[in-house]
């Protein structure tokens, strides 16, 4: 196994660092986690990044006062060393798509629209009986918007994102830049949205870890966000995180 200095750690947020919540605004992060991640970032020579469908602004607020390297909005927004290095343009068709989704949400109890500007997500966790109707709408809107948009499906959510953006491409991009270059990538996620990342990291010979059950390309599993937090908090207390830390679950 690699030593701590050789690891580049990539972490999803929802369902990985925090439990999935009924709505996007209701997630709660254990306040011990941000300072622990800061300690681990130092022990990893700076090679720690969040890879999430959330925007950078949300992740900053959730982890304040710490700011981490981030591949946000499924890779459509990448920040490194405090600077936005790349950001997909807002598709012209996104405003029209947003209006259609808001109209649908206003007519159905329990449907939530999450406008992230570069992307837009439709959530039906509070109305699981509407999954079929919600997915049908999202698929139709994605087809209408054309090849510049990709439909990203997840746990009780579907999202319209720029076609070129994915967690896998974002991780591959970061792995070419210091301090990530030359290290063993370790990516931890929990959802269909993370499979692009697992595929990319597997191709790089890295370690992929899925939180919870479900079909996956990941090589290892950890039972829950609670179990992952225990591993990360213990590693931060010791000041060392290695690839073997994740096989002790």
């Amino acid at each position: 196994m690699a030593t701590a200095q050789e690891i580049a750690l990539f972490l999803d947020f929802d369902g990985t660092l925090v439990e999935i919540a009924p709505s996007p605004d209701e997630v709660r992060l254990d306040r011990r986690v941000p300072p622990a991640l800061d300690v681990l970032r130092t022990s990893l020579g700076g090679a720690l990044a969040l890879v999430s469908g959330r925007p950078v602004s949300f992740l900053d607020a959730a982890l304040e006062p710490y700011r981490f390297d981030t591949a946000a909005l499924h890779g459509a927004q990448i920040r490194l060393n405090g600077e936005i290095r790349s950001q997909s343009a807002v598709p012209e068709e996104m405003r029209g798509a947003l209006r259609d989704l808001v109209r649908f949400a206003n007519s159905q109890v329990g449907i939530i629209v999450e406008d992230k500007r570069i992307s837009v997500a439709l959530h039906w966790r509070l109305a699981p009986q509407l999954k079929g109707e919600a997915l049908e709408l999202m698929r139709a809107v994605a087809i209408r918007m054309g090849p510049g948009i990709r439909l990203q499906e997840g746990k009780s959510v579907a999202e319209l994102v720029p076609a070129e953006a994915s967690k896998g491409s974002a991780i591959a991009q970061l792995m070419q830049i210091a301090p990530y270059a030359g290290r063993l990538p370790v990516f931890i996620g929990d959802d269909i949205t993370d499979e692009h990342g697992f595929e990319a990291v597997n191709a790089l010979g890295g370690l992929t870890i899925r939180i919870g059950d479900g079909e996956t390309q990941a090589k290892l599993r950890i039972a829950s966000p609670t179990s992952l937090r225990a591993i990360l908090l213990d590693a931060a207390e010791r000041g060392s995180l290695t690839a073997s830390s994740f096989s002790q679950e």
Side-chain angles (χ1 to χ4, degrees):
M1 286 291 186
T3 66
Q5 306 310 317
E6 297 170 329
I7 289 175
L9 182 61
F10 301 97
L11 295 163
D12 178 41
F13 185 78
D14 292 277
T16 299
L17 289 179
V18 298
E19 300 286 351
I20 296 290
S23 69
D25 295 333
E26 294 181 50
V27 296
R28 295 292 179 266
L29 178 65
D30 185 323
R31 295 317 302 169
R32 296 174 297 171
V33 169
L37 292 181
D38 187 51
V39 170
L40 292 175
R41 172 170 57 181
T42 298
S43 74
L44 297 172
L48 184 154
L50 304 174
V51 182
S52 171
R54 299 280 196 165
V56 166
S57 58
F58 174 90
L59 295 170
D60 283 349
L63 292 150
E64 65 180 353
Y66 307 98
R67 293 195 170 195
F68 297 92
D69 289 348
T70 305
L73 300 177
H74 305 284
Q77 188 180 45
I78 296 178
R79 182 180 68 190
L80 184 65
N81 295 325
E83 297 182 1
I84 298 295
R85 293 296 184 93
S86 65
Q87 181 166 289
S88 299
V90 181
E92 293 182 7
E93 303 87 354
M94 194 64 80
R95 294 302 96 189
L98 179 61
R99 286 193 296 270
D100 289 347
L101 301 186
V102 169
R103 188 179 302 116
F104 175 68
N106 287 342
S107 68
Q108 304 287 352
V109 176
I111 296 293
I112 298 172
V113 176
E114 186 181 8
D115 180 12
K116 306 178 188 179
R117 193 168 174 271
I118 295 175
S119 67
V120 60
L122 191 69
H123 299 261
W124 56 85
R125 183 169 300 277
L126 298 175
Q129 74 280 7
L130 295 174
K131 175 182 178 179
E133 193 172 349
L135 272 175
E136 182 179 0
L137 173 61
M138 289 295 278
R139 289 166 180 167
V141 171
I143 291 171
R144 186 185 75 203
M145 294 180 73
I149 287 294
R150 175 173 60 85
L151 182 62
Q152 176 67 69
E153 298 181 21
K155 295 177 179 176
S156 299
V157 63
E159 186 165 353
L160 300 164
V161 300
E164 75 277 6
S166 77
K167 292 186 177 183
S169 61
I171 291 172
Q173 180 177 333
L174 288 173
M175 286 300 298
Q176 298 178 40
I177 305 170
Y180 303 91
R183 294 172 177 266
L184 178 78
V186 176
F187 177 47
I188 309 175
D190 76 300
D191 199 355
I192 300 170
T193 62
D194 299 308
E195 292 299 320
H196 292 293
F198 294 149
E199 181 180 8
V201 171
N202 285 341
L204 291 170
L207 176 62
T208 49
I209 304 170
R210 168 119 177 184
I211 303 294
D213 56 12
E215 187 176 347
T216 185
Q217 300 177 72
K219 303 304 184 184
L220 292 179
R221 290 186 191 270
I222 291 175
S224 66
T226 299
S227 299
L228 175 63
R229 287 196 298 273
I231 293 170
L232 297 177
L233 292 172
D234 178 67
E237 185 175 349
R238 291 184 289 102
S240 174
L241 181 69
T242 69
S244 60
S245 299
F246 300 105
S247 62
Q248 299 172 3
E249 214 270 314

